[in-house]
Amino acid sequence: MTPQEVYNIMIERDRFSKWLGLEMDEIREGYCKLHYTVKEDMLNGFERIHGGVLFSASDSAFAFACNSHGIITVALDVSITFTNPAKAGDVLYVEAEELHLGNKTGLYDIRTTNEEGKLVCLFKGTAYRTGREVQ
């Protein structure tokens, strides 16, 4: 199964990623790049993007990248560091890259940047490969 076929299966069932407005730019084995526009209802009390939105978009990119091999893969451990704010109307780019792929685990670096290329957050994920094929 190709990475695009895996993504198509996942996004068909992933109502949350659709609700976030995530749009895929590129998908290949161990990698994905997507983007979305920050909406008013994604803001916190200081009118900046809520950290939960950044986390969720990063987590979705992580899921698309680590499942791209066609093996059902789930998160074991994740962490996020916030570096710069974003506001309504900003377009954010989320790029997930596989750093290591083993028999049972994978390590991923997920970076969110703004239109100027500034880092908005850095998300690191460790994934567990179940051995079951995506269907």
Side-chain angles (χ1 to χ4, degrees), residues 17-135:
S17 290
K18 288 180 189 176
W19 177 80
L20 284 171
L22 304 181
E23 296 184 42
M24 184 61 67
D25 296 319
E26 183 179 353
I27 183 80
R28 54 185 153 85
E29 284 193 352
Y31 177 88
C32 89
K33 184 173 184 180
L34 53 84
H35 72 276
Y36 64 104
T37 301
V38 179
K39 298 178 277 191
E40 293 283 335
D41 61 356
M42 295 177 168
L43 303 179
N44 63 22
F46 297 106
E47 298 197 348
R48 297 294 180 254
I49 192 167
H50 193 287
V53 173
L54 291 169
F55 184 97
S56 295
S58 298
D59 189 49
S60 289
F62 172 44
F64 298 141
C66 66
N67 281 281
S68 64
H69 297 282
I71 302 298
I72 296 173
T73 305
V74 297
L76 276 178
D77 180 65
V78 298
S79 64
I80 192 167
T81 302
F82 304 106
T83 56
N84 283 294
K87 60 188 182 321
D90 287 354
V91 176
L92 299 182
Y93 300 89
V94 187
E95 189 171 19
E97 184 175 10
E98 189 173 83
L99 302 177
H100 168 77
L101 182 66
N103 289 332
K104 287 291 183 182
T105 62
L107 179 62
Y108 296 80
D109 177 78
I110 299 91
R111 294 172 183 261
T112 299
T113 56
N114 63 20
E115 294 167 284
E116 299 169 353
K118 287 185 181 177
L119 187 66
V120 175
C121 71
L122 177 62
F123 180 107
K124 181 186 135 200
T126 303
Y128 174 73
R129 298 166 47 90
T130 67
R132 297 189 329 256
E133 291 184 13
V134 173
Q135 298 181 356

